[in-house]
Amino acid sequence: MTLFFSQLINGLHVGIIYALIALGYTMVYGIVKLINFAHGDIIMVGAYTAVITLVSLNVPPVVALLLTILVCVIFGVTIERVAYKPLRSSPRISSLITAIGVSMLLQNTALLVFGAASRPFPTIFSIPPLRFAGIQISFVTALTIVVSLVLMLLLQTFIKTSKAGKAMRAASEDYNTAQLMGINVNNTITLTFAIGCALAGIGAFLYVMAYPAVSPTMGSLPGLKAFIAAVLGGIGIIPGAMLGGVVMGIAESLTKAYISTQLSDAVVYGILIVVLLVKPTGLLGKQTREKV
Amino acid sequence: MKKRSIVTMLVALALILSAVVPVMAEDVIKIGGIGVLSGDYALYGLAVKEGVDLYVKQVNEKGGILGKQVEVLWEDTEAQASKAILAYDKLSEEVVGLIGGVLSGESKALAEVSAEDGMPQISPSATAYDVTTDRPNVFRTCFLDPFQGNAIAKYMADQGSKKVAVLYDNATEYSKGLYDAFKARSEELGVEIIAAESAAYGDKDYKTQLTTIMNASPEAVFLPYYGADAAMILAQANELGLNVKFYGADGISDIVDYVADKSLLANLVYTDHFSTDADSQMAKDFVAAFQAEYGKMPTISFSATGYDAAVVLLSAIEKAGSTEKQAIVDAIKATDLTAVSGKITFDDHNDPIKSAFLLTFDAEGNKQYLTQVDP
């Protein structure tokens, strides 16, 4: 039984990182209906920032984390302004292709600048695993889960109560009407990208703490998984992204532990297919009537 | 335009003739060296070349073999099997034996054509099993992947480990091959594999498998992985608090570049083809001579296996007393000598029966020689 709980916690660790990244996908999709495929590569940008500031510039971890968030936000906002904003009134497929292009641009630039070999990420905390009712939880796992939960709560409160959050919800509900009501939709969209990328920056830091290797293509896999998590939970819905990520992480971990390693992706995608067949809008998705 | 091309052809012809003429001289024995000397894998080929050239130089200083000087003709394959065959066609008339290829693929292509002529061929570094299969003229001086699995099982048994675990990648031939050999040998030696977990290729998250392994409480864990993946596994094992001995094979030797916290490596033991700290006199002399010649340590173990390939080939020519191909092949087959990377004899499959070097790391990530194992 303790083994089962240990595996559950392993799954929660992976899942909550997926969830953190998935928030960026889902928030952006909620407002501009764009699947930002470059989001995974923001993780890579964050990871390189973290490793460079920590190892080459030798700054304390907290400063490195803040710099990582800052760089990710700058990248995210710049990408939004340069690549997506000019296309806002074009067909959706144009922005989608642009997003894929931006993703390739980021990956290949990193390849050019840093080379293909992966860099090790230093150990920040040398704290032995915590014992909790017979279950061992590694410090990084515990930290990741706590930090992510706090961030999600903060995000929920921000969106529910603040004025900017209200603007975001309004823009996501009806873009044009929100504009008519005097909401600066452009600024709201930029803010959405900034928040998504800040979360991705923190996600990147937590990700490389758990998987200490930084390489140009490292963002694709967590990016893809997070995107699936967002769709699973219902894309555009913030609690859905959190739920989707956690469900995926736990499904992956339990499949690896009790069924077969090779089947773990198959099981995750299988769950996605079943959910989409039964409830096409995702786990927490609401049926919306087509606006005429 | 036409005139110029005729002139070019004449010049080319003259060049070819002038290149062929000195070959007629009978006072040198020529051997061919074929391998990758440029591109991504050049590191391995150049290491082999340095080893071979060093031994040939030493032999020539002592008066050569059969009273003649030895010359090595090198050809670059650029890691392509087709170029290896071209190189063979170019050299086969002049040389009495071949050292090469360096990579398994080019060695196989080379072996196919050399087998038709019965040309003695020794690869210093081709680890794929079937390079020598059904080719009585083809030998090698490096050990094969399964051999390392055996060596690690033997070492674990010697260390008194009774219950061990394995984490392997069942999508790569290297990892799977090592695991299969390890499993068979450890069963014979009474070492029980209490957990065997596999991971999907390219996976980054090994915590699930490591948790299962930790739950079985093994005394040691075998990781048949390359350095980058193994670095990820060691970091996650440390995070989970799994503190046991870890074992790997030659592919893991570049792990130092992928680990930030070098002290993790102190728990890792792996097999290699050679160690610069080996205690035999021959190995010590080799390291000293290599340093004197090239001003660096022979850190890539294929320098040692390349040197040994030259030792085996030239000793066989000496023993055969002639440069007749079949005589040399028979002499190689009967090889029983101590070379730099250990004692070498050949089995039915023309693979060397030799010892493996066990290495570990100190807390700064420097390689440390442990012992030699005969599985």
Side-chain angles (χ1 to χ4, degrees):
Chain A
M1 207 55 197
T2 51
L3 180 63
F4 176 77
F5 280 112
S6 297
Q7 301 294 25
L8 210 60
I9 288 184
N10 286 334
L12 197 60
H13 183 183
V14 189
I16 212 139
I17 294 180
Y18 291 155
L20 214 50
I21 306 169
L23 286 173
Y25 276 106
T26 230
M27 283 166 63
V28 167
Y29 183 86
I31 295 188
V32 274
K33 303 282 178 272
L34 162 74
I35 294 162
N36 179 16
F37 277 112
H39 195 65
D41 300 292
I42 294 288
I43 308 282
M44 179 270 296
V45 170
Y48 270 108
T49 314
V51 82
I52 289 168
T53 50
L54 271 176
V55 177
S56 311
L57 306 180
N58 219 352
V59 301
V62 180
V63 182
L65 176 64
L66 293 176
L67 284 171
T68 304
I69 297 172
L70 186 69
V71 171
C72 285
V73 169
I74 292 172
F75 263 80
V77 171
T78 313
I79 290 168
E80 194 270 325
R81 283 278 143 115
V82 176
Y84 302 146
K85 198 180 161 199
L87 293 172
R88 204 158 287 154
S89 48
S90 333
R92 244 196 264 165
I93 192 85
S94 313
S95 332
L96 193 72
I97 301 290
T98 309
I100 295 172
V102 171
S103 162
M104 283 177 172
L105 178 74
L106 288 177
Q107 276 185 26
N108 288 297
T109 310
L111 202 61
L112 208 63
V113 177
F114 302 111
S118 72
R119 291 190 185 194
F121 190 77
T123 316
I124 299 178
F125 302 103
S126 316
I127 298 171
L130 316 168
R131 288 206 153 274
F132 199 74
I135 305 164
Q136 266 197 352
I137 304 174
S138 90
F139 182 74
V140 171
T141 305
L143 186 74
T144 304
I145 295 174
V146 170
V147 167
S148 306
L149 286 177
V150 169
L151 284 173
M152 287 171 189
L153 273 177
L154 283 179
L155 181 69
Q156 248 338 41
T157 330
F158 173 79
I159 288 178
K160 282 264 139 63
T161 56
S162 76
K163 207 162 185 183
K166 208 179 218 172
M168 282 163 89
R169 277 185 292 142
S172 121
E173 204 160 291
D174 195 324
Y175 187 90
N176 291 323
T177 316
Q179 226 161 2
L180 290 176
M181 296 296 139
I183 292 170
N184 188 335
V185 177
N186 273 332
N187 283 354
T188 307
I189 291 172
T190 307
L191 180 69
T192 311
F193 268 88
I195 293 176
C197 290
L199 292 175
I202 300 170
F205 210 87
L206 295 171
Y207 188 80
V208 285
M209 268 165 63
Y211 314 114
V214 181
S215 69
T217 51
M218 64 171 287
S220 344
L221 193 68
L224 183 70
K225 292 275 175 73
F227 169 61
I228 295 165
V231 174
L232 183 66
I235 192 143
I237 302 155
I238 288 170
M242 301 177 195
L243 182 69
V246 170
V247 165
M248 263 181 69
I250 289 176
E252 258 182 32
S253 173
L254 293 185
T255 315
K256 276 186 200 167
Y258 295 105
I259 304 171
S260 146
T261 330
Q262 271 63 42
L263 282 180
S264 79
D265 282 349
V267 167
V268 168
Y269 297 139
I271 293 177
L272 176 71
I273 292 169
V274 170
V275 167
L276 291 186
L277 280 177
V278 177
K279 207 162 178 291
T281 46
L283 286 176
L284 298 187
K286 286 186 204 78
Q287 218 68 342
T288 45
R289 263 173 295 138
E290 194 69 31
K291 284 172 281 214
V292 186
Chain B
M1 202 59 191
K2 212 165 223 174
K3 222 177 240 168
R4 211 199 268 160
S5 69
I6 290 170
V7 173
T8 320
M9 270 174 66
L10 281 176
V11 171
L13 196 65
L15 277 175
I16 292 167
L17 283 176
S18 66
V20 171
V21 173
V23 174
M24 307 299 172
E26 277 296 312
D27 54 343
V28 287
I29 290 177
K30 297 194 173 186
I31 58 173
I34 298 179
V36 53
L37 299 174
S38 62
D40 282 350
Y41 303 100
L43 203 65
Y44 301 120
L46 294 172
V48 166
K49 183 173 183 293
E50 284 169 349
V52 172
D53 285 347
L54 177 63
Y55 182 68
V56 169
K57 189 177 172 221
Q58 289 173 342
V59 164
N60 285 339
E61 277 166 4
K62 287 184 200 142
I65 48 170
L66 306 176
K68 293 174 184 173
Q69 292 283 297
V70 181
E71 191 186 339
V72 192
L73 305 176
W74 287 100
E75 288 293 331
D76 182 10
T77 61
E78 297 165 38
Q80 294 170 26
S82 57
K83 290 251 166 73
I85 294 172
L86 280 179
Y88 180 80
D89 291 342
K90 192 169 164 193
L91 295 179
S92 60
E93 293 300 313
E94 335 177 19
V95 300
V96 302
L98 279 183
I99 291 177
V102 171
L103 307 175
S104 288
E106 62 188 32
S107 305
K108 252 186 249 183
L110 205 53
E112 218 153 280
V113 283
S114 76
E116 288 168 16
D117 297 346
M119 171 74 79
Q121 180 193 341
I122 306 178
S123 169
S125 50
T127 51
Y129 178 78
D130 55 355
V131 172
T132 60
T133 305
D134 296 329
R135 290 169 190 138
N137 63 313
V138 184
F139 300 84
R140 61 181 131 210
T141 52
C142 58
F143 48 60
L144 281 68
D145 296 341
F147 173 92
Q148 303 186 66
N150 293 348
I152 288 161
K154 179 73 179 5
Y155 183 73
M156 280 185 180
D158 291 348
Q159 295 291 301
S161 299
K162 287 272 165 260
K163 292 180 186 306
V164 300
V166 185
L167 174 58
Y168 69 105
D169 172 357
N170 72 1
T172 60
E173 210 179 313
Y174 175 74
S175 195
K176 183 96 174 34
L178 279 168
Y179 168 61
D180 289 341
F182 174 80
K183 191 176 159 194
R185 187 78 180 113
S186 55
E187 267 165 23
E188 285 167 26
L189 293 167
V191 177
E192 192 193 346
I193 300 177
I194 50 172
E197 291 288 306
S198 67
Y201 175 75
D203 233 351
K204 290 230 182 324
D205 185 62
Y206 299 96
K207 282 206 295 292
T208 307
Q209 290 93 332
L210 289 170
T211 302
T212 310
I213 285 174
M214 201 158 105
N215 197 52
S217 353
E219 293 158 39
V221 180
F222 178 38
L223 305 173
Y225 272 96
Y226 293 109
D229 303 311
M232 196 70 99
I233 298 172
L234 285 186
Q236 291 177 28
N238 182 53
E239 192 57 51
L240 287 171
L242 177 61
N243 291 315
V244 293
K245 271 260 177 261
F246 291 93
Y247 291 87
D250 62 344
I252 220 167
S253 62
D254 61 346
I255 190 169
V256 186
D257 301 337
Y258 300 104
V259 175
D261 180 5
K262 311 283 186 223
S263 66
L264 289 182
L265 297 176
N267 268 336
L268 179 68
V269 174
Y270 74 99
T271 48
D272 213 334
H273 302 266
F274 180 65
S275 161
T276 52
D277 299 322
D279 0 271
S280 81
Q281 193 51 49
M282 190 137 178
K284 281 182 183 150
D285 292 347
F286 164 73
V287 173
F290 192 95
Q291 254 184 317
E293 181 74 25
Y294 302 109
K296 60 179 181 184
M297 291 291 271
T299 40
I300 300 172
S301 45
F302 293 147
S303 289
T305 56
Y307 186 92
D308 285 354
V311 171
V312 170
L313 182 61
L314 296 189
S315 312
I317 296 174
E318 183 95 81
K319 208 162 47 172
S322 84
T323 53
E324 201 262 314
K325 286 171 188 159
Q326 191 53 47
I328 298 174
V329 168
D330 292 341
I332 297 175
K333 186 84 192 175
T335 296
D336 185 1
L337 53 77
T338 306
V340 167
S341 63
K343 197 169 149 10
I344 298 181
T345 53
F346 290 101
D347 67 8
D348 295 339
H349 191 257
N350 290 357
D351 299 328
I353 302 169
K354 56 189 253 188
S355 29
F357 291 82
L358 264 297
L359 279 77
T360 184
F361 296 89
D362 65 13
E364 274 79 50
N366 301 307
K367 291 178 183 175
Q368 299 283 308
Y369 171 68
L370 278 180
T371 181
Q372 258 172 279
V373 172
D374 299 293

